[in-house]
């Protein structure tokens, strides 16, 4: 009998990466105060915050995003865990509300199959314009997340694309932006969750930053 294919979608910041790209960029270019101010604004929807935050990067060279990603620490045992999953014919990818430049870098390094993320626009000199192309999705399915990348919508879309039943999907994430996909996936895994709400809806909660820890729950 043919092996049953499964799909796993990973969040990037705080999940595959130790730390967050925008935080690292903010520290490097000294805009942590501005970043915090936007992030903690209660009067803006998630996607509006993403737009404002992207504007803080205006004028930076696009290579800076990839460079900072290459300097960040990755989750422990990623090589081993990904090898194990791929040898079981799993489809693996990233669904992130971070930046596509960073996700593409990571996906290539980790040999992953798909990337869904926000795209930073560049000018003719490859400098960031401050504009963000957001994949959304919540407006199509009535999801309440209202963030730049509705992870539930894109999980469903990838499952359909790779012809995998939604029950045969697993997701791994750490913040409330992962909430809607964690609820929807066959197996929702909270990796070092930053929010109690996430723990409550997840099937599995992992409290060490080690990708091998997910294997018993998905294989
Ligand atoms: Zn959503």
């Amino acid at each position: 009998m043919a092996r049953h294919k499964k799909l796993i979608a990973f969040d990037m910041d705080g999940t595959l990466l130790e730390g967050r790209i925008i935080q690292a960029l903010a520290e490097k270019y000294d805009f942590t105060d501005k970043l915090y101010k936007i992030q903690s604004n209660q009067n803006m929807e998630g996607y509006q915050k993403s737009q404002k935050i992207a504007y803080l990067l205006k004028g930076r060279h696009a290579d800076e995003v990839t460079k900072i990603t290459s300097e960040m620490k990755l989750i422990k045992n990623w090589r081993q865990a990904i090898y194990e999953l791929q040898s079981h014919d799993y489809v693996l990818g990233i669904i992130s509300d971070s930046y596509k430049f960073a996700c593409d870098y990571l996906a290539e390094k980790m040999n992953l199959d798909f990337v869904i993320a926000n795209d930073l626009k560049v000018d003719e000199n490859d400098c960031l314009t401050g504009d963000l192309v957001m994949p959304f999705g919540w407006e199509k399915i009535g999801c309440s997340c209202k963030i730049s990348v509705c992870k539930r919508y894109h999980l469903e879309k990838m499952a359909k694309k790779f012809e995998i039943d939604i029950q045969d999907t697993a997701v791994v994430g750490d913040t409330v932006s992962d909430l809607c996909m964690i609820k929807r996936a066959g197996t929702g895994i909270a990796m070092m969750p930053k929010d109690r709400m996430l723990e409550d809806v997840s099937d599995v909660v992992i409290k060490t930053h080690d990708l091998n820890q997910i294997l018993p729950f998905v294989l």
Side-chain angles (χ1 to χ4, degrees), residues 138 143 145 150-152 180:
W138 44 265
C143 184
C145 70
C150 172
K151 300 193 177 192
R152 175 180 138 202
C180 65

Side-chain angles (χ1 to χ4, degrees), residues 116-193:
I116 309 285
N118 288 309
D119 216 352
L120 288 160
K121 274 197 182 171
V122 293
D123 65 15
E124 63 279 9
N125 302 315
D126 267 350
C127 288
L128 306 175
T129 65
D131 295 317
L132 195 62
V133 182
M134 298 178 276
F136 298 122
W138 44 265
E139 75 288 3
K140 296 192 180 81
I141 56 168
C143 184
S144 60
C145 70
K146 295 205 174 159
I147 56 175
S148 51
V149 179
C150 172
K151 300 193 177 192
R152 175 180 138 202
Y153 173 78
H154 290 282
L155 173 70
E156 287 173 354
K157 201 171 158 185
M158 286 303 107
K160 210 169 170 185
K161 181 182 168 187
F162 290 99
E163 299 177 320
I164 292 165
D165 194 279
I166 200 78
Q167 280 317 308
D168 291 326
T169 65
V171 298
V172 188
D174 71 324
T175 66
V176 284
S177 73
D178 302 303
L179 205 61
C180 65
M181 76 168 175
I182 281 190
K183 285 188 194 162
R184 184 70 179 112
T187 308
I189 301 174
M191 171 67 72
M192 308 281 289

